[in-house]
């Protein structure tokens, strides 16, 4: 790829209104909720391609009962949690944004980075696992040429590359494609399940055989229930899709009069999306688990069996013929392949909303196409490491899904408690406990998910902190606004000849403090006697924030004129104000500092994490980077 082409992509993505999955609210890409449901349903509904087989391998004859527990938790736990998330975070940030608001400062930022690691695990493994299962359906088709058999990894890599190519080309028509794929796929699944249920009804002995097997393996009802509860965490893949559902909320078309801060129409559409998807999926999960357990021999679910990773496809070929089975395979391959699209959409929505805002990623991460290339390369690596094995990736996928759902449950519990909703707090706390148990059990049983998530977390935290360090001397101010009194102080100072500002760290803020500070600066820096300098005081807000708007207020105390402002960092805010005053008045302002006594290494760390440190040299460095022409650079004096 040429450097010129890459630069063109970056400029196109950064300057245009986003046409991808994280399009701005109110854009032309918004659609009715049921169409957006099909986009998130690519991930959610596609699990029917492998969920029944995984359930049968994990639970055996108990699979239908364990699936009932899964469905109960879906409808009574995950659905209420994410309906609350949709109401409190309607702009696509999901439960991560709720926790960011609840948890303070660096604690919240680091927690968000950890959750982004699990989100990356969830979404990346969605891409690789779905493509691997699509490959399994391709390779098991009887009409496939023999030369392709055994090339699981190669075919999977081709499917992932094609998915990346779709996003590189553009994603404007993705929702329309998703609607068609989901409609056909659900219709074909309904036919397969209906025919399978008809076969069960015509052969009641399969039900009797199943009940006999249950009673033989587990003589009492309590034993069956216990086994169902114990194996239930292995079925957690059936809970996927909820986080994607709230991540794509900006695509839902709301009401014309929606308040941008709390768009009720979009929230209502998201509630309908989540509820409808959960009900549809619950019906299919129960029915598919029942018929596959009763009609497919257990050995066929094992690796190498004809139902391995494709239980419903096995029934489609067995009861409806290879012609219909091939049509079902094509539909399944399409939805599994395109399921990665909803996962990619979730990643492209989450990453630009957090890492660049934290200063923990280069500016190019706001662009779509470079991120697509990065995520596609990671998916290639995961596919090769796991040899495109569906079941081998199931643990990692379930871990990502469960951690995100558990964090969402924690977020809504904390939110309900802060709002004083006692009943909701108790209910959501109970749901949190269930999800926490499920997550811990899954991690113990299948630690691959935590290992992969840990690698993602380590990579995100390390690169994020490095990026923040490299970008630490950027201006990091989105706007500078002076109140009327502050503006009058500046205008009057400019009329006197030159704007001279004394940086003051506010302490007692009494008359003696300002008098002594002025005397000291006049003595050390030779400020002209007839010049009346302004004082500048910066209060540190949240130092973990990277960017902030600068609101400057004027105040007069004991005859001294003072400019006051709050910012995450002192030096960057001072530099931004000086450049603003230069552009506003046409004069180069002067700023006066004292050297700070202390260890420079300690002050460097204080600047990086607390926003203060040694102010004078850093202010000068920020100005040097922002204004390369020394003749137009505000003047920094240190005494």
């Amino acid at each position: 790829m040429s450097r010129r082409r890459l630069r063109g992509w970056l400029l196109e993505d950064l300057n245009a209104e986003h046409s991808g999955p994280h399009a701005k609210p109110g854009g032309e890409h918004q659609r009715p909720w049921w169409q957006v449901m099909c986009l998130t349903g690519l991930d959610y509904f596609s699990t029917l391609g492998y969920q029944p087989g995984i359930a049968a391998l994990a639970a055996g004859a108990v699979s239908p009962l364990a699936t009932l527990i899964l469905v109960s938790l879906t409808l009574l736990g995950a659905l209420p949690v994410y309906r609350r998330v949709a109401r409190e975070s309607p702009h696509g940030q999901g439960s991560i944004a709720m926790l960011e608001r609840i948890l303070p400062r660096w604690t919240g930022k680091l927690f968000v980075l950890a959750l982004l690691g699990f989100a990356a695990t969830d979404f990346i493994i969605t891409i690789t696992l779905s493509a691997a299962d699509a490959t399994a359906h391709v390779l098991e088709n009887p009409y496939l040429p023999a030369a392709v058999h055994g090339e699981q990894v190669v075919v999977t890599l081709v499917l992932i590359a094609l998915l990346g190519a779709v996003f590189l080309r553009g994603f404007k028509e993705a929702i329309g494609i998703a609607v068609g794929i989901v409609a056909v796929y659900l219709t074909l699944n309904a036919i397969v399940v209906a025919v399978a249920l008809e076969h069960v009804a015509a052969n009641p002995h399969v039900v009797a055989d199943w009940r006999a097997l249950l009673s033989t393996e587990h003589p009492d009802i309590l034993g069956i229930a216990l086994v169902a509860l114990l194996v239930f965490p292995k079925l957690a893949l059936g809970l996927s899709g909820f986080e994607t559902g709230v991540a794509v909320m900006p695509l839902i078309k709301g009401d014309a009069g929606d308040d941008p801060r709390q768009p009720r129409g979009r929230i209502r559409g998201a509630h309908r999306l989540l509820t409808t998807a959960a009900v549809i999926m619950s019906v299919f999960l129960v029915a598919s688990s029942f018929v596959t357990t009763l009609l497919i021999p257990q050995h066929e679910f094992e690796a190498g069996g004809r139902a391995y990773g494709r239980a419903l496809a096995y029934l489609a070929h067995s009861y409806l013929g290879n012609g219909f089975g091939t049509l079902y395979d094509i539909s399944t391959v399409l939805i599994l392949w395109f399921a990665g699209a909803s996962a990619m959409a979730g990643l492209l929505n989450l990453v630009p909303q957090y890492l660049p805002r934290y200063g923990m990623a280069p500016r190019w991460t706001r662009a779509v196409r470079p991120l697509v290339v990065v995520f596609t390369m990671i998916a290639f690596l995961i596919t090769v490491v796991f040899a495109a094995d569906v079941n081998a990736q199931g643990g990692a996928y379930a871990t990502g899904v469960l951690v995100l759902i558990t964090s969402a449950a924690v977020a809504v519990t904390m939110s309900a408690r802060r709002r004083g909703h006692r009943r909701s707090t108790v209910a959501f706390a109970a749901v949190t406990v269930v999800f926490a148990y499920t997550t811990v059990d899954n991690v113990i049983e299948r630690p691959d998910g935590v290992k992969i998530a840990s690698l993602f977390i380590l990579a995100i935290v390390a690169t994020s902190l490095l990026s923040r360090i490299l970008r630490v001397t950027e201006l990091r101010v989105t706007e500078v606004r002076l109140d009327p009194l502050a503006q009058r102080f500046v205008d009057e100072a400019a009329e006197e000849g030159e704007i001279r500002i004394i940086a003051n760290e506010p302490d007692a803020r009494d008359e003696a403090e300002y008098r002594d500070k002025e005397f000291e600066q006049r003595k050390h820096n030779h400020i002209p006697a007839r010049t009346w300098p302004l004082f500048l005081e910066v209060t540190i807000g949240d130092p973990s924030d990277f960017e902030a708007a600068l609101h400057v207020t004027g105040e007069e105390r004991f005859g001294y004129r003072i400019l006051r402002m709050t910012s995450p960092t002192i030096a960057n805010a001072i530099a931004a104000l000086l450049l603003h005053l230069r552009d506003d008045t046409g004069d180069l302002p002067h700023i006066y500092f004292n050297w700070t006594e202390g260890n420079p290494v300690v002050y460097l760390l204080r600047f990086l994490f607390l926003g203060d440190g040694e102010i004078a040299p850093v202010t000068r460095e920020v100005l040097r980077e922002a204004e390369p022409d020394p003749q137009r650079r505000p003047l920094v004096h240190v005494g």
Side-chain angles (χ1 to χ4, degrees):
M1 183 186 300
S2 68
R3 186 176 300 175
R4 180 178 298 177
R5 177 63 172 163
L6 179 59
R7 187 183 302 116
W9 276 2
L10 283 170
L11 292 174
E12 177 185 339
D13 283 344
L14 289 170
N15 295 330
E17 289 290 316
H18 294 311
S19 60
H22 53 298
K24 294 182 179 179
E28 61 179 359
H29 304 286
Q30 291 184 330
R31 296 289 187 270
W33 66 267
W34 58 271
Q35 293 185 6
V36 182
M37 181 192 73
C38 291
L39 178 62
T40 185
L42 291 168
D43 175 18
Y44 196 21
F45 300 144
S46 68
T47 57
L48 288 171
Y50 46 81
Q51 171 73 9
I54 291 176
L57 276 176
V62 185
S63 173
L65 302 179
T67 303
L68 280 175
I69 296 176
L70 172 69
V71 167
S72 300
L73 187 57
T74 297
L75 299 177
L76 302 178
L79 180 59
V81 164
Y82 276 94
R83 284 174 63 92
R84 183 72 171 250
V85 171
R87 185 164 66 248
E88 298 198 21
S89 182
H91 301 295
Q93 304 98 323
S95 59
I96 296 178
M98 295 176 63
L99 289 169
E100 181 190 27
R101 291 194 298 267
I102 294 171
L103 298 175
R105 300 176 177 257
W106 278 109
T107 302
K109 300 292 190 298
L110 293 175
F111 194 79
V112 166
L113 291 180
L115 287 180
L116 286 176
F118 284 105
T121 303
D122 179 8
F123 292 141
I124 290 291
I125 298 297
T126 296
I127 295 172
T128 59
L129 186 147
S130 299
D133 197 51
T135 300
H137 284 76
V138 170
L139 299 183
E140 288 293 332
N141 190 276
Y143 298 130
L144 190 75
V148 185
H149 285 285
E151 300 297 333
Q152 181 86 10
V153 174
V154 174
V155 176
T156 303
L157 292 176
V158 169
L159 292 177
I160 293 173
L162 290 174
L163 178 68
V166 169
F167 276 85
L168 289 175
R169 181 67 180 173
F171 203 53
K172 295 181 179 180
E173 307 302 324
I175 295 181
I177 297 172
V179 171
I181 291 176
V182 168
V184 171
Y185 181 70
L186 291 181
T187 299
L188 295 178
N189 271 282
I191 293 173
V192 173
V193 170
V195 170
L197 287 172
E198 182 182 3
H199 188 79
V200 170
N203 299 273
H205 68 86
V206 296
V207 178
D209 293 343
W210 172 62
R211 293 178 62 182
L213 180 61
L214 269 181
S215 60
T216 301
E217 294 182 350
H218 312 285
D220 58 89
I221 296 178
L222 289 178
I224 294 175
L226 180 61
V227 171
L229 287 170
L230 291 176
V231 302
F232 152 71
K234 299 178 182 179
L235 279 61
L237 296 181
L239 289 167
S240 68
F242 281 101
E243 194 71 28
T244 310
V246 294
V248 298
M249 277 188 68
L251 291 175
I252 298 175
K253 189 174 184 179
D255 298 335
D258 270 352
D259 181 351
R261 292 171 298 179
Q262 193 68 14
R264 295 185 179 275
R266 184 194 299 170
I267 294 170
R268 185 170 58 251
H271 285 174
R272 291 172 179 172
L273 180 158
L274 294 168
T275 303
T276 304
V279 170
I280 291 174
M281 190 62 176
S282 296
V283 171
F284 273 109
L285 281 175
V286 172
S288 63
S289 177
F290 180 71
V291 297
T292 53
T293 301
L294 267 63
L295 298 177
I296 300 178
Q298 185 65 26
H299 69 272
E300 295 288 5
F301 292 111
E302 304 288 341
R306 290 181 296 161
Y308 182 70
R310 55 188 299 277
L312 286 175
Y314 175 95
L315 295 180
H317 283 273
S318 298
Y319 296 121
L320 291 163
N322 286 335
F324 182 91
T326 299
L327 179 62
Y328 182 86
D329 285 340
I330 294 173
S331 172
T332 305
V333 168
L334 286 175
I335 194 170
L336 286 168
W337 168 66
F338 218 53
S342 62
M344 187 75 80
L347 284 168
L348 295 176
N349 179 65
L350 282 178
V351 170
Q353 292 201 59
Y354 289 101
L355 295 185
R357 180 162 56 86
Y358 291 176
M360 292 180 169
R363 293 186 180 275
W364 60 260
T365 54
R366 294 183 188 271
V368 172
R369 291 187 176 107
L371 284 178
V372 170
V373 173
V374 171
F375 296 145
T376 302
M377 293 298 103
I378 295 173
F380 282 170
L381 178 62
I382 295 293
T383 296
V384 172
V385 169
F386 281 96
D389 190 309
V390 174
N391 285 283
Q393 298 177 73
Y397 184 33
T399 298
V401 170
L402 287 171
V403 168
L404 291 180
I405 293 180
T406 303
S407 69
V410 170
V412 298
T413 302
M414 296 175 68
S415 175
R417 184 174 181 272
R418 293 179 70 184
R419 295 172 184 269
H421 300 163
R422 183 172 300 178
R423 291 184 178 179
S424 297
T425 301
V426 173
F428 287 131
V431 172
T432 301
V433 170
V434 174
F435 281 127
Y437 152 74
T438 307
T439 303
V440 171
D441 184 87
N442 184 80
V443 169
I444 294 173
E445 182 73 20
R446 295 180 288 182
D448 286 343
V450 171
K451 294 177 182 177
I452 294 177
S454 298
L455 292 176
F456 276 116
I457 293 170
L458 180 62
I460 288 174
V461 171
T463 57
S464 296
L465 291 178
L466 177 62
S467 175
R468 178 139 180 165
I469 291 171
L470 293 175
R471 299 181 60 191
V472 75
T473 52
E474 290 182 12
L475 277 180
R476 299 164 55 177
V477 172
T478 56
E479 66 169 334
V480 179
R481 187 185 309 154
L482 278 66
D483 75 357
L485 184 57
Q487 188 65 55
R488 180 168 67 84
F489 290 163
V490 170
D491 293 339
E492 290 176 356
E495 289 175 3
E496 292 178 0
E498 289 182 319
I499 301 174
R500 299 179 184 272
I501 300 173
I502 297 175
N504 180 53
E505 182 178 355
D507 189 12
R509 303 195 75 228
D510 55 13
E511 184 176 4
E513 177 180 332
Y514 296 107
R515 183 181 63 247
D516 294 345
K517 191 75 172 182
E518 182 184 8
F519 175 79
E520 184 180 60
Q521 291 298 339
R522 285 186 184 277
K523 176 182 177 182
H524 292 160
N525 291 301
H526 309 290
I527 299 176
R530 295 185 179 181
T531 299
W532 301 103
L534 304 174
F535 282 85
L536 176 61
E537 299 176 348
V538 184
T539 302
I540 296 178
D542 182 356
S544 66
D545 287 339
F546 186 75
E547 294 179 335
L550 207 57
H551 302 292
V552 186
T553 60
E555 181 183 1
E556 191 163 358
R557 293 175 66 86
F558 312 109
Y560 297 96
R561 297 173 297 175
I562 305 166
L563 303 178
R564 306 194 70 196
M565 54 189 183
T566 300
S567 172
T569 61
I570 296 176
N572 306 72
I574 292 175
L577 176 62
L578 294 176
L579 291 171
H580 173 81
L581 297 182
R582 179 203 65 183
D583 297 338
D584 184 47
T585 65
D587 298 326
L588 291 181
H590 297 250
I591 183 80
Y592 298 90
F593 295 98
N594 283 338
W595 286 114
T596 304
E597 297 291 335
N599 189 314
V601 176
V602 173
Y603 281 123
L604 173 61
L605 295 176
R606 288 186 62 86
F607 173 65
L608 291 175
F609 298 104
L610 299 179
D612 49 18
E614 181 61 86
I615 307 302
V618 180
T619 301
R620 199 267 178 188
E621 182 61 20
V622 174
L623 288 170
R624 188 187 67 81
E625 283 197 18
E627 177 51 72
D629 184 359
Q631 302 301 317
R632 300 194 68 247
R633 194 180 298 154
L635 300 166
V636 176
H637 306 268
V638 187

